[in-house]
Amino acid sequence: MNMKVAGKLLGLALFSLTAVTIVYYPALEANAIRQPPPQIAQPNRKPVVDVVFVLDTTGSMAGLIETAKEKIWSIATSMAGAQPTPEIRIGLVGFRDRGDAYITRRVDLSGDLDSVYAALMDFAADGGGDGPESVNQALDEAVRQMSWSQAGNSYKVIFLVGDAPPHMDYQGEAQYPSIIAAATQKGIIVNTIQCAEGADTVQPWTQIASLGNGAFLQVEQAGGAVAMSTPYDAKIATLSAQL
């Protein structure tokens, strides 16, 4: 795989999802405005945008992880510049698999973007090796163990980035259908980006995005175009042209 080309494709995929988020973030504010006024007057508060990045940090991601980290931060800074200006909080879940140096490494949602950035830069690709990874555990922690905002004017989203399917053979572990159902109940959107084109990864990645009311994008191993399909393509194209 040409890693330079793959890096550019991963950047495009992440940009596209950023565009979707920025397009639909203002609708959150509009919905908040249409809500009935509270009985007790409350001081004006900025809308809250909570974003958790769930990133595969196994060895197979070695050629892409630096680009992934760079583009993850591009998403964060793009959201910070949205209008109306939100209160943005970022969280991270790096994951590998059982038997590696760690299964997950979690950084809770925080508005201290400098410290989150430092934690992101510490992620490195290593471990893995048996194909499937601990995707389910990582998603479960992202959904259930992050301090998601309870505010009515919050936008909550997960970006899952990786190149391998989840282990579905770990006994007693929550699996992604029930995990994504819990995310939906909390109002969390789940987007997926598949790095490379493993056939065994397409189905779960597509299903996770579908169940999570999000978008699925694929960086093809052969260096082809990003395969993507969302109901927001026209608006993404408009944003791309403006940028």
Side-chain angles (χ1 to χ4, degrees), residues 137-179:
Q137 181 171 332
L139 277 175
D140 193 53
E141 292 185 14
V143 172
R144 293 190 169 102
Q145 298 188 33
M146 290 288 179
S147 56
W148 293 100
S149 173
Q150 301 301 308
N153 62 341
S154 61
Y155 180 89
K156 295 171 282 194
V157 62
I158 290 172
F159 291 86
L160 172 63
V161 183
D163 66 350
H167 267 287
M168 303 300 284
D169 55 344
Y170 287 158
Q171 296 298 314
E173 181 178 78
Q175 298 186 346
Y176 68 79
S178 64
I179 296 167

